[in-house]
Amino acid sequence: MTEFRTLVEQARSCRRFVEKEPLTMADLEWLINCARMTPCARNQQTLRYSLITQGHVCDALFAKTTWAGALKDWGGPHPGERPTAFIVISLPGNAGHLTWVDMGIAAQTIQLAATSRAWGCCILASFDVETCRTLCHIPEELAPRLVLGLGKAAETRVVEPVPADGRLAYWRDAENVHHVPKLSLDQLVIGRFQE
């Protein structure tokens, strides 16, 4: 069994997938079953999910997403390494700030659950909202806010200390390993109060 901190460390954004081994609708339903058990404000359960494994819908949605803004010379996953499934998380149009928190909790839960099964997940906020609404038949009273690209992971991602120059941008090396600098515990904790 994977220790939880290890699972969190492995749950980096994945941007390359094994396209010839697609996820199924049952796989996506399992992920949503995990997410639906998370805490949410006033237990209102206002998030709604669109699950996509259909090839032509995946292709059309993929074409309207933007991947890895920090990798300026990379336009996103190439054919053969694109996500094989998507989950769109939608909120009510009048969603308050706590519903946005709920969405983050649900998205992270999906990311962790996917990682626990050696699947990759990339949480995307950069996509064409109206195209997504049309493709997924999302009702007008809901607004698509996140698109999660999913599939069997096909890239190595590693966490490492922030370099001496303080740069936090992720990068890839010559072997296409994805490096993610993370601040240390002491850099993040601004106070400790104990007996």
Side-chain angles (χ1 to χ4, degrees), residues 15-20 59 62 74-83:
R15 296 176 181 88
R16 291 180 296 150
F17 307 89
V18 181
E19 209 169 333
K20 64 184 178 192
D59 292 343
F62 172 82
W74 188 67
H78 301 294
E81 58 184 26
R82 293 182 175 162

mmCIF file of all heavy atoms in Angstrom, residues 15-20 59 62 74-83:
data_model
loop_
_atom_site.group_PDB
_atom_site.id
_atom_site.type_symbol
_atom_site.label_atom_id
_atom_site.label_comp_id
_atom_site.label_asym_id
_atom_site.label_seq_id
_atom_site.Cartn_x
_atom_site.Cartn_y
_atom_site.Cartn_z
ATOM 1 N N ARG A 15 0.881 15.213 -18.228
ATOM 2 C CA ARG A 15 0.521 15.815 -19.510
ATOM 3 C C ARG A 15 0.785 14.901 -20.703
ATOM 4 O O ARG A 15 0.618 15.310 -21.843
ATOM 5 C CB ARG A 15 1.252 17.142 -19.675
ATOM 6 C CG ARG A 15 0.813 18.159 -18.630
ATOM 7 C CD ARG A 15 1.613 19.440 -18.740
ATOM 8 N NE ARG A 15 1.192 20.401 -17.726
ATOM 9 C CZ ARG A 15 1.693 20.465 -16.494
ATOM 10 N NH1 ARG A 15 2.628 19.600 -16.118
ATOM 11 N NH2 ARG A 15 1.271 21.378 -15.649
ATOM 12 N N ARG A 16 1.215 13.671 -20.436
ATOM 13 C CA ARG A 16 1.393 12.687 -21.505
ATOM 14 C C ARG A 16 0.840 11.357 -21.030
ATOM 15 O O ARG A 16 1.101 10.931 -19.914
ATOM 16 C CB ARG A 16 2.868 12.571 -21.898
ATOM 17 C CG ARG A 16 3.374 13.841 -22.593
ATOM 18 C CD ARG A 16 4.816 13.770 -22.993
ATOM 19 N NE ARG A 16 5.629 13.655 -21.789
ATOM 20 C CZ ARG A 16 6.797 13.031 -21.739
ATOM 21 N NH1 ARG A 16 7.280 12.444 -22.806
ATOM 22 N NH2 ARG A 16 7.484 12.989 -20.620
ATOM 23 N N PHE A 17 0.087 10.707 -21.906
ATOM 24 C CA PHE A 17 -0.683 9.524 -21.538
ATOM 25 C C PHE A 17 -0.436 8.398 -22.535
ATOM 26 O O PHE A 17 0.025 8.623 -23.656
ATOM 27 C CB PHE A 17 -2.174 9.863 -21.506
ATOM 28 C CG PHE A 17 -2.496 11.046 -20.644
ATOM 29 C CD1 PHE A 17 -2.484 12.336 -21.162
ATOM 30 C CD2 PHE A 17 -2.792 10.878 -19.303
ATOM 31 C CE1 PHE A 17 -2.771 13.440 -20.363
ATOM 32 C CE2 PHE A 17 -3.081 11.964 -18.494
ATOM 33 C CZ PHE A 17 -3.072 13.248 -19.027
ATOM 34 N N VAL A 18 -0.782 7.182 -22.142
ATOM 35 C CA VAL A 18 -0.696 6.013 -23.024
ATOM 36 C C VAL A 18 -2.035 5.928 -23.747
ATOM 37 O O VAL A 18 -3.004 5.361 -23.233
ATOM 38 C CB VAL A 18 -0.402 4.726 -22.230
ATOM 39 C CG1 VAL A 18 -0.293 3.535 -23.177
ATOM 40 C CG2 VAL A 18 0.861 4.882 -21.393
ATOM 41 N N GLU A 19 -2.094 6.505 -24.927
ATOM 42 C CA GLU A 19 -3.360 6.628 -25.639
ATOM 43 C C GLU A 19 -3.923 5.282 -26.075
ATOM 44 O O GLU A 19 -5.137 5.123 -26.197
ATOM 45 C CB GLU A 19 -3.174 7.553 -26.847
ATOM 46 C CG GLU A 19 -4.408 8.303 -27.233
ATOM 47 C CD GLU A 19 -4.144 9.407 -28.241
ATOM 48 O OE1 GLU A 19 -3.025 9.962 -28.290
ATOM 49 O OE2 GLU A 19 -5.085 9.696 -29.010
ATOM 50 N N LYS A 20 -3.058 4.294 -26.276
ATOM 51 C CA LYS A 20 -3.539 2.985 -26.731
ATOM 52 C C LYS A 20 -4.150 2.158 -25.598
ATOM 53 O O LYS A 20 -4.650 1.068 -25.832
ATOM 54 C CB LYS A 20 -2.403 2.212 -27.418
ATOM 55 C CG LYS A 20 -1.258 1.869 -26.517
ATOM 56 C CD LYS A 20 -0.130 1.204 -27.260
ATOM 57 C CE LYS A 20 1.012 0.940 -26.286
ATOM 58 N NZ LYS A 20 2.225 0.560 -26.904
ATOM 59 N N ASP A 59 -11.504 14.266 -28.625
ATOM 60 C CA ASP A 59 -10.673 14.991 -29.591
ATOM 61 C C ASP A 59 -11.100 16.448 -29.703
ATOM 62 O O ASP A 59 -10.260 17.356 -29.717
ATOM 63 C CB ASP A 59 -10.749 14.333 -30.975
ATOM 64 C CG ASP A 59 -10.095 12.964 -31.012
ATOM 65 O OD1 ASP A 59 -9.313 12.639 -30.094
ATOM 66 O OD2 ASP A 59 -10.372 12.206 -31.966
ATOM 67 N N PHE A 62 -10.206 18.255 -26.416
ATOM 68 C CA PHE A 62 -8.749 18.416 -26.346
ATOM 69 C C PHE A 62 -8.302 19.608 -27.191
ATOM 70 O O PHE A 62 -7.449 20.403 -26.768
ATOM 71 C CB PHE A 62 -8.036 17.144 -26.811
ATOM 72 C CG PHE A 62 -6.554 17.321 -26.930
ATOM 73 C CD1 PHE A 62 -5.749 17.229 -25.800
ATOM 74 C CD2 PHE A 62 -5.957 17.609 -28.146
ATOM 75 C CE1 PHE A 62 -4.378 17.425 -25.891
ATOM 76 C CE2 PHE A 62 -4.588 17.796 -28.258
ATOM 77 C CZ PHE A 62 -3.798 17.701 -27.117
ATOM 78 N N TRP A 74 6.395 23.868 -26.139
ATOM 79 C CA TRP A 74 5.636 22.613 -26.209
ATOM 80 C C TRP A 74 4.156 22.940 -26.338
ATOM 81 O O TRP A 74 3.592 23.636 -25.504
ATOM 82 C CB TRP A 74 5.897 21.773 -24.963
ATOM 83 C CG TRP A 74 5.337 20.389 -24.999
ATOM 84 C CD1 TRP A 74 5.720 19.366 -25.815
ATOM 85 C CD2 TRP A 74 4.294 19.861 -24.170
ATOM 86 N NE1 TRP A 74 4.980 18.237 -25.540
ATOM 87 C CE2 TRP A 74 4.098 18.518 -24.534
ATOM 88 C CE3 TRP A 74 3.504 20.384 -23.164
ATOM 89 C CZ2 TRP A 74 3.155 17.698 -23.922
ATOM 90 C CZ3 TRP A 74 2.564 19.576 -22.542
ATOM 91 C CH2 TRP A 74 2.405 18.233 -22.941
ATOM 92 N N GLY A 75 3.522 22.445 -27.362
ATOM 93 C CA GLY A 75 2.129 22.769 -27.628
ATOM 94 C C GLY A 75 1.124 21.823 -27.006
ATOM 95 O O GLY A 75 -0.065 21.926 -27.289
ATOM 96 N N GLY A 76 1.560 20.926 -26.174
ATOM 97 C CA GLY A 76 0.648 19.973 -25.552
ATOM 98 C C GLY A 76 0.931 18.563 -26.011
ATOM 99 O O GLY A 76 1.811 18.323 -26.857
ATOM 100 N N PRO A 77 0.195 17.615 -25.476
ATOM 101 C CA PRO A 77 0.426 16.209 -25.827
ATOM 102 C C PRO A 77 0.268 15.965 -27.332
ATOM 103 O O PRO A 77 -0.654 16.483 -27.961
ATOM 104 C CB PRO A 77 -0.659 15.462 -25.046
ATOM 105 C CG PRO A 77 -1.076 16.389 -23.961
ATOM 106 C CD PRO A 77 -0.890 17.767 -24.498
ATOM 107 N N HIS A 78 1.188 15.188 -27.873
ATOM 108 C CA HIS A 78 1.155 14.835 -29.297
ATOM 109 C C HIS A 78 0.228 13.643 -29.519
ATOM 110 O O HIS A 78 -0.113 12.931 -28.564
ATOM 111 C CB HIS A 78 2.569 14.490 -29.783
ATOM 112 C CG HIS A 78 3.538 15.615 -29.605
ATOM 113 N ND1 HIS A 78 3.441 16.811 -30.282
ATOM 114 C CD2 HIS A 78 4.628 15.733 -28.806
ATOM 115 C CE1 HIS A 78 4.423 17.609 -29.920
ATOM 116 N NE2 HIS A 78 5.159 16.983 -29.018
ATOM 117 N N PRO A 79 -0.183 13.386 -30.758
ATOM 118 C CA PRO A 79 -0.971 12.176 -31.026
ATOM 119 C C PRO A 79 -0.254 10.946 -30.468
ATOM 120 O O PRO A 79 0.960 10.816 -30.600
ATOM 121 C CB PRO A 79 -1.056 12.146 -32.556
ATOM 122 C CG PRO A 79 -0.940 13.590 -32.962
ATOM 123 C CD PRO A 79 0.041 14.194 -31.976
ATOM 124 N N GLY A 80 -1.011 10.080 -29.817
ATOM 125 C CA GLY A 80 -0.450 8.896 -29.184
ATOM 126 C C GLY A 80 -0.199 9.082 -27.708
ATOM 127 O O GLY A 80 -0.006 8.110 -26.976
ATOM 128 N N GLU A 81 -0.176 10.349 -27.234
ATOM 129 C CA GLU A 81 0.062 10.621 -25.816
ATOM 130 C C GLU A 81 -0.986 11.584 -25.243
ATOM 131 O O GLU A 81 -0.769 12.216 -24.220
ATOM 132 C CB GLU A 81 1.471 11.159 -25.598
ATOM 133 C CG GLU A 81 1.788 12.416 -26.362
ATOM 134 C CD GLU A 81 3.233 12.877 -26.213
ATOM 135 O OE1 GLU A 81 4.125 12.023 -25.952
ATOM 136 O OE2 GLU A 81 3.476 14.087 -26.342
ATOM 137 N N ARG A 82 -2.130 11.659 -25.894
ATOM 138 C CA ARG A 82 -3.199 12.554 -25.448
ATOM 139 C C ARG A 82 -4.094 11.850 -24.431
ATOM 140 O O ARG A 82 -4.133 10.618 -24.370
ATOM 141 C CB ARG A 82 -4.005 13.032 -26.651
ATOM 142 C CG ARG A 82 -3.163 13.930 -27.536
ATOM 143 C CD ARG A 82 -3.888 14.475 -28.716
ATOM 144 N NE ARG A 82 -3.011 15.409 -29.415
ATOM 145 C CZ ARG A 82 -3.190 15.804 -30.652
ATOM 146 N NH1 ARG A 82 -4.225 15.369 -31.352
ATOM 147 N NH2 ARG A 82 -2.344 16.661 -31.198
ATOM 148 N N PRO A 83 -4.835 12.621 -23.643
ATOM 149 C CA PRO A 83 -5.732 11.989 -22.666
ATOM 150 C C PRO A 83 -6.777 11.127 -23.360
ATOM 151 O O PRO A 83 -7.204 11.443 -24.474
ATOM 152 C CB PRO A 83 -6.381 13.159 -21.934
ATOM 153 C CG PRO A 83 -6.078 14.365 -22.729
ATOM 154 C CD PRO A 83 -4.922 14.068 -23.620
#
